[in-house]
Amino acid sequence: MVDRAGVSATIKKRYGAALRAQWLEKCAAHIEQALRELEETAGSRRPVHLETQVRLVAEQLVHSEISDSCLPSLVVEAGTQHVKELAGHPGVFLQVQSVVDVGVSKYAMWEAAREKEDFEQRGIRPSYLPQLTDEDDSGSGEANSTAATQAEASGDSHPKIPRKMLKLVLTDGQRHVSALEVEPIAQLSAELAIGSKVVVTGAQPVAGTGVLCLRAGNIRVVGGAPAQYAQQTLRARMAELLGLEDRRGT
Amino acid sequence: MRILCVAEKPSQAKAVAQILSQGSLRTRDGTSRYNKNYDFQYRISGTFVPVTMTSVIGHLTELDFPASCRSWHSCNPVALFTSPVVRAVGEKVKDVAKNITNEARAATHLYIWTDCDREGEGIGGEITSVSRSVNPRLVVRRAHFSSVLAQEIHNAMQNPRDLDMRQVAAVEARTELDLRIGSALTRFQTLRLSSRFTSLNDKLISYGPCQFPTLGFVVDQFLRVESFVPETFWYIYLEHTKDDGRAVFTWKRSKIFDQEACFALYAKCMAAPVARVTSMRSRPKEKWKPLPLTTVDLQKCCSRYLRLAPDLIMSIAEGLYNQGFISYPRTETDQFDPNMDLKGIVAKLVQYAPFSAYASSLVNEDGFKWPRKGKNNDKAHPPIHPVAPANNLSGNPLRVYEFVTRRFLACCSDNAKGQATEIEVLVTDEQFSASGLMILKRNYLDIYPFDRWSESSVPVYRQGDSFEPSVFEMRSGVTTAPKLLTDFDLIDIMDKNGIGTDATHADHIKKIIEREYIFRSPDKFLAPSTLGIGLIEGYDSMGLELSLSKPHLRCEMERELKRICDGAKTKEDVVRESVNLYKAVYMKSVDEVVKLEESLGRCLQQEPDSSVAVWVPSNGSGGSEVCKCSKCSE
């Protein structure tokens, strides 16, 4: 038997997520069914520890659609609708709806994602074409030579996705909030799966904008990769934003 | 003892013979119109020895398929991968070969004087086998030299080496592979495609294992430019005007491609818009003089700065080398041997009027500094450098000579020296920086105007100062599309991807222009033709991991050829492995040829002509019925 109250309280304390009763009921029933089948084959009957129950529910939670599984938790200002400062411990449980590196042009990102995919899936090495350097109108021919030496430096190694500053759009199932990585946070990357679950603690919004500022201690990636978002790879998202259809290769 | 010397070109034979005979030579006609024979006496170990110097005109023998496979319709192209090949004296050079055999009969020693690179060694091997066919007891030696300078030539004559048979094997391997692969694919492509597209009738759609990857680079960049999407970006602009000047600060984050994000950061700063100087550093800065000159660099720089095509650059450089003005222009070495008398060369250049003053200052006023050392050494030739003042040149040869000389003098100069000031400020959490530069000594920049170093002034700040910015606002810009490749870029990419050698880069580019796969626009950009794009996209769409249009196949082959030279692998092994690899790729291409046709149809905007019988490779018996008509299968 799954202890619904106990699991709910533990998850709230650990992840800041307030589970919807309906969803928890479905999830618990599903787990109980699976446990019953196990008991039948194993032949024994043993009560399952609360910790294990929490773990099983949490596994389902990270892969779920947050609007199905959790109650909304973001608090907004009445007038502006901007998000208020997020609570401290345990923080707020949110779902990643989009991840974009705003310091890199989408085009350059798309090229890099494509090269990496080609390399990982088909073993095709990058061909050292002069790299895009996101130059503006005032850019000069200098750019080409420095880019070429950059390519030389990275040499035969694995093609890398450029990394400048990530902007996330997070949701509690009802409202969305933008969050900006003001200093590089190792756990995050442009390739983070859409639908991943994160816990945000103590992040401050910039006054007058409602954009959260994230520093290393403010965000923890819990995990998850819901199936409904599986098609939204980095490459696909960039192609869509740019309005490109990938006609060469697949 | 009687020595026969054979050079690679008639002009070289004459130049070398002049030096060795110290002017007293006798010219004699041979069986070849182009190749004269020069007789003279040369002193070796105290005794005078009769010497005859003659030449060939490039390769003496050719590789081809036996008569049964030679005609295009005589066999299935796939047979070309495994058919025997025959090496025979080329038709056009029969007279040249005759001259060699005539002279070889009377000689005891054969000295090879071809260019000292892999191809030259290969030609040396051919000369050897042709000569030994009439005189099996000939002793063969190899003269090694990097410039047509008296001292070097005499040194080469008196200290001959052995012919490097490993390099000869590598050249034989390359010729065989290029023949098999090139022929099979050219026949297949041309026969199939020229019959299907009216605009391609009678056109030779050739394939070369280096040409195609080179075309691939040009097409890839073109498609990149085509599919580019411009994007708007935003940044924070900070400017401060003081009594002693104006400073423009650059944001550390450079650009942000999202307005909301940039605004959020800007708003954070605006809460307390005061800049605090976190560091102010003034330190000496140097701009390094260039590295010694390699072939790839020569082509890159002359194409960019002098706007000359790479193949023209190489033929001019060869001309300058044969006239004794510069050293051998095909080299990968970018470091000078410590035993070379570089100061002596600079001293000679004092006699070259335009640079006389600069050269003097290097020699007399202690301005001479040893050149930088690069990472490459092909152990065959030094970096390209002038060997004598050339006071009677004009036009393009003059420009190329001057470039080589400027580069050399720059290498022997000191780095440019300046003083740089760097200021860093913080506004709330956002970092900005400004810099200034004062050039104290131009040094090499005086003789090498191709490098730029610009001065800029910046006002004085002290660490800990605070100020209110005069201008602090969000600005925006738009990204611009990358440009098509220039010769400079293409040679660079070919070099980095191992396509071709320094001797052949220019040739491959020239070839694909000839075949109308790409063209050079008036402002020197390289663009592919619709035929070129169609071919590359067609092969790419076959989903080959080792696509014919990508550099990896050829790059691997070049590596294997190098292993033959290093003695790590035999010619037979390399040929066999490469043939198997390319044969598999060929078979797949035949299977998927429809994709090639689709791609071409799209690019040429033509439908394949379905009224003509489709050519399908079949095992012809040399007769006339070798096309399977798709309609009646006869």
Side-chain angles (χ1 to χ4, degrees):
Chain A
M1 264 308 283
V2 172
D3 174 8
R4 283 122 171 91
V7 167
S8 200
T10 314
I11 285 189
K12 175 85 177 134
K13 209 168 66 157
R14 196 172 292 176
Y15 301 114
L19 298 177
R20 283 185 192 271
Q22 249 185 326
W23 182 85
L24 180 56
E25 189 47 51
K26 267 206 295 204
C27 183
H30 180 84
I31 291 173
E32 281 165 355
Q33 169 74 5
L35 286 175
R36 265 198 292 276
E37 283 167 15
L38 251 162
E39 280 170 11
E40 272 158 36
T41 50
S44 70
R45 226 178 162 265
R46 261 208 293 194
V48 179
H49 194 277
L50 179 64
E51 193 49 50
T52 315
Q53 294 175 33
V54 167
R55 204 165 31 86
L56 290 170
V57 172
E59 263 173 33
Q60 295 295 311
L61 179 61
V62 294
H63 289 296
S64 69
E65 176 58 51
I66 198 171
S67 51
D68 292 337
S69 53
C70 299
L71 294 164
S73 49
L74 286 173
V75 180
V76 296
E77 309 263 1
T80 57
Q81 295 295 303
H82 287 156
V83 163
K84 270 192 184 168
E85 176 171 352
L86 298 189
H89 192 73
V92 181
F93 189 75
L94 298 167
Q95 175 170 290
V96 174
Q97 217 50 30
S98 113
V99 178
V100 178
D101 192 322
V102 294
V104 180
S105 73
K106 296 178 198 60
Y107 194 78
M109 194 55 115
W110 174 69
E111 280 211 328
R114 192 181 58 169
E115 266 194 7
K116 187 166 182 216
E117 210 180 89
D118 278 349
F119 182 75
E120 284 172 348
Q121 290 178 10
R122 289 151 71 187
I124 295 176
R125 289 179 177 278
S127 62
Y128 295 118
L129 285 180
Q131 286 188 5
L132 289 185
T133 52
D134 289 342
E135 282 303 314
D136 58 9
D137 309 61
S138 59
S140 61
E142 280 299 312
N144 262 343
S145 50
T146 48
T149 43
Q150 267 175 43
E152 220 175 323
S154 58
D156 281 304
S157 62
H158 202 109
K160 290 196 178 74
I161 305 287
R163 181 81 157 88
K164 292 271 179 75
M165 183 168 91
L166 295 176
K167 175 177 154 185
L168 303 159
V169 173
L170 304 169
T171 180
D172 63 356
Q174 192 181 69
R175 289 196 175 82
H176 289 75
V177 65
S178 297
L180 212 50
E181 186 197 36
V182 294
E183 65 186 30
I185 299 173
Q187 265 200 316
L188 302 175
S189 93
E191 293 174 293
L192 195 60
I194 303 300
S196 302
K197 305 296 183 291
V198 300
V199 177
V200 181
T201 329
Q204 299 249 15
V206 176
T209 65
V211 175
L212 293 174
C213 287
L214 296 176
R215 289 200 157 75
N218 292 140
I219 184 166
R220 179 163 63 107
V221 177
V222 181
Q228 63 266 34
Y229 297 114
Q231 292 301 313
Q232 292 186 29
T233 59
L234 176 60
R235 177 178 173 172
R237 285 186 286 127
M238 290 299 116
E240 205 199 344
L241 284 170
L242 292 165
L244 291 171
E245 36 158 82
D246 251 327
R247 84 183 151 144
R248 287 179 69 215
T250 8
Chain B
M1 187 175 175
R2 190 186 173 81
I3 305 179
L4 172 65
C5 295
V6 185
E8 201 170 315
K9 300 177 264 281
S11 57
Q12 210 171 47
K14 187 169 176 189
V16 173
Q18 292 272 16
I19 293 176
L20 290 176
S21 65
Q22 288 169 336
S24 55
L25 46 71
R26 193 168 61 89
T27 310
R28 180 166 50 86
D29 279 338
T31 50
S32 163
R33 251 187 323 142
Y34 305 108
N35 311 94
K36 306 265 184 260
N37 302 314
Y38 304 102
D39 299 318
F40 53 91
Q41 301 273 334
Y42 192 75
R43 199 174 173 143
I44 294 194
S45 319
T47 43
F48 277 99
V49 173
V51 178
T52 300
M53 179 101 201
T54 184
S55 55
V56 292
I57 33 177
H59 283 275
L60 207 54
T61 58
E62 276 170 12
L63 209 58
D64 204 351
F65 296 107
S68 58
C69 285
R70 206 168 289 165
S71 146
W72 276 39
H73 292 279
S74 58
C75 63
N76 186 331
V78 80
L80 298 177
F81 284 106
T82 41
S83 150
V85 286
V86 170
R87 184 173 279 278
V89 171
E91 269 306 308
K92 299 191 192 133
V93 292
K94 276 204 143 64
D95 290 337
V96 181
K98 193 101 209 302
N99 190 38
I100 300 288
T101 48
N102 283 346
E103 300 299 316
R105 278 198 187 92
T108 56
H109 287 69
L110 171 66
Y111 278 32
I112 303 289
W113 277 85
T114 54
D115 285 342
C116 296
D117 56 18
R118 213 193 274 173
E119 288 300 306
E121 214 74 8
I123 297 175
E126 292 170 28
I127 298 171
T128 304
S129 61
V130 164
S131 306
R132 279 207 171 130
S133 68
V134 295
N135 187 346
R137 291 213 296 260
L138 213 48
V139 175
V140 180
R141 306 312 308 280
R142 210 273 190 248
H144 192 269
F145 59 102
S146 302
S147 65
V148 187
L149 209 56
Q151 191 194 5
E152 272 211 50
I153 299 295
H154 283 291
N155 196 23
M157 187 71 178
Q158 288 170 7
N159 302 300
R161 307 181 185 177
D162 286 320
L163 200 61
D164 185 350
M165 295 314 291
R166 299 204 283 225
Q167 289 200 40
V168 173
V171 172
E172 287 174 359
R174 188 197 54 74
T175 336
E176 189 180 332
L177 287 169
D178 281 348
L179 176 70
R180 290 187 190 281
I181 298 164
S183 303
L185 280 158
T186 300
R187 288 188 194 185
F188 163 66
Q189 258 180 196
T190 308
L191 287 172
R192 175 76 187 213
L193 299 172
S194 63
S195 63
R196 295 276 275 161
F197 293 95
T198 40
S199 65
L200 297 179
N201 280 344
D202 303 329
K203 214 178 165 81
L204 178 66
I205 307 174
S206 71
Y207 174 88
C210 283
Q211 285 171 38
F212 248 53
T214 308
L215 171 61
F217 295 137
V218 178
V219 171
D220 278 350
Q221 182 76 357
F222 173 80
L223 291 172
R224 224 187 183 189
V225 172
E226 282 258 285
S227 55
F228 181 78
V229 177
E231 291 171 61
T232 318
F233 57 85
W234 290 263
Y235 59 100
I236 302 180
Y237 180 78
L238 170 59
E239 193 186 292
H240 186 224
T241 312
K242 284 174 79 181
D243 311 326
D244 56 340
R246 185 178 73 117
V248 173
F249 289 84
T250 319
W251 193 23
K252 188 153 184 220
R253 295 193 198 272
S254 175
K255 306 178 178 71
I256 299 291
F257 288 86
D258 181 292
Q259 194 174 19
E260 186 192 33
C262 188
F263 184 71
L265 296 169
Y266 180 69
K268 237 173 28 121
C269 293
M270 283 308 282
V274 172
R276 195 164 51 84
V277 179
T278 52
S279 96
M280 155 85 187
R281 271 184 316 176
S282 177
R283 54 201 176 104
K285 198 158 178 198
E286 281 189 17
K287 185 162 173 70
W288 285 11
K289 59 193 181 180
L291 282 170
L293 190 63
T294 59
T295 307
V296 168
D297 237 4
L298 173 70
Q299 292 179 324
K300 281 161 73 170
C301 292
C302 288
S303 70
R304 177 177 270 185
Y305 303 130
L306 306 180
R307 318 273 271 172
L308 297 170
D311 49 296
L312 181 58
I313 297 167
M314 287 323 289
S315 74
I316 292 177
E318 266 204 49
L320 291 172
Y321 161 68
N322 283 325
Q323 291 173 279
F325 293 134
I326 65 173
S327 68
Y328 191 64
R330 297 209 159 89
T331 177
E332 291 170 2
T333 312
D334 56 6
Q335 40 179 276
F336 279 106
D337 186 296
N339 294 323
M340 271 184 85
D341 179 18
L342 297 182
K343 216 164 176 184
I345 299 177
V346 179
K348 267 197 229 173
L349 290 172
V350 173
Q351 276 149 47
Y352 181 62
F355 303 151
S356 179
Y358 191 87
S360 308
S361 72
L362 284 188
V363 175
N364 301 328
E365 294 160 30
D366 210 22
F368 177 85
K369 296 266 184 302
W370 194 262
R372 281 171 65 194
K373 202 170 160 186
K375 297 191 194 122
N376 303 304
N377 190 342
D378 65 14
K379 306 246 175 26
H381 297 289
I384 306 173
H385 60 276
V387 292
N391 283 312
N392 289 320
L393 296 172
S394 62
N396 286 329
L398 175 64
R399 296 166 77 208
V400 174
Y401 174 78
E402 275 208 0
F403 172 78
V404 174
T405 309
R406 280 185 190 274
R407 178 75 173 235
F408 176 71
L409 289 172
C411 285
C412 297
S413 310
D414 204 353
N415 294 336
K417 302 215 162 70
Q419 189 78 8
T421 313
E422 278 148 30
I423 306 156
E424 283 176 30
V425 307
L426 204 61
V427 179
T428 315
D429 294 322
E430 297 301 310
Q431 292 174 310
F432 299 81
S433 62
S435 63
L437 176 72
M438 191 165 61
I439 300 181
L440 300 171
K441 283 193 161 256
R442 292 185 59 82
N443 291 336
Y444 88 91
L445 289 173
D446 278 334
I447 192 73
Y448 198 69
F450 312 106
D451 276 356
R452 297 273 149 84
W453 211 21
S454 35
E455 291 190 283
S456 59
S457 67
V458 78
V460 175
Y461 290 91
R462 267 191 328 247
Q463 190 165 335
D465 278 355
S466 292
F467 61 87
E468 258 184 48
S470 322
V471 181
F472 189 71
E473 58 191 25
M474 241 173 83
R475 292 193 177 177
S476 70
V478 183
T479 51
T480 49
K483 301 221 164 68
L484 293 174
L485 297 179
T486 55
D487 287 305
F488 179 106
D489 300 320
L490 186 54
I491 291 182
D492 193 40
I493 295 171
M494 289 171 80
D495 186 44
K496 290 204 168 81
N497 281 280
I499 300 299
T501 61
D502 54 3
T504 59
H505 291 142
D507 293 334
H508 297 312
I509 299 180
K510 187 165 170 209
K511 200 34 126 15
I512 54 177
I513 294 180
E514 255 175 44
R515 293 270 177 266
E516 297 181 4
Y517 291 157
I518 72 170
F519 56 93
R520 198 178 268 132
S521 70
D523 50 354
K524 309 289 183 202
F525 285 110
L526 299 168
S529 63
T530 45
L531 174 59
I533 300 175
L535 287 170
I536 294 296
E537 289 206 312
Y539 279 112
D540 273 351
S541 72
M542 292 187 195
L544 294 165
E545 261 141 40
L546 291 174
S547 169
L548 288 168
S549 61
K550 293 274 180 285
H552 318 289
L553 280 172
R554 181 60 183 200
C555 184
E556 261 314 296
M557 196 205 287
E558 296 274 1
R559 276 200 208 129
E560 295 289 292
L561 291 175
K562 183 126 199 317
R563 289 202 184 103
I564 302 178
C565 290
D566 295 336
K569 255 183 146 161
T570 64
K571 171 185 120 175
E572 288 70 27
D573 282 343
V574 170
V575 170
R576 192 190 48 227
E577 284 165 14
S578 294
V579 160
N580 285 340
L581 193 55
Y582 271 93
K583 186 172 167 187
V585 175
Y586 170 85
M587 301 295 298
K588 184 136 197 258
S589 309
V590 170
D591 284 341
E592 311 221 10
V593 71
V594 175
K595 292 203 177 131
L596 190 54
E597 292 183 352
E598 276 170 12
S599 164
L600 267 176
R602 201 180 52 231
C603 289
L604 297 172
Q605 301 200 315
Q606 282 176 15
E607 283 299 317
D609 190 354
S610 47
S611 62
V612 178
V614 175
W615 181 84
V616 169
S618 63
N619 297 320
S621 50
S624 45
E625 288 314 315
V626 286
C627 286
K628 260 205 185 134
C629 175
S630 61
K631 293 193 180 135
C632 49
S633 299
E634 272 173 28

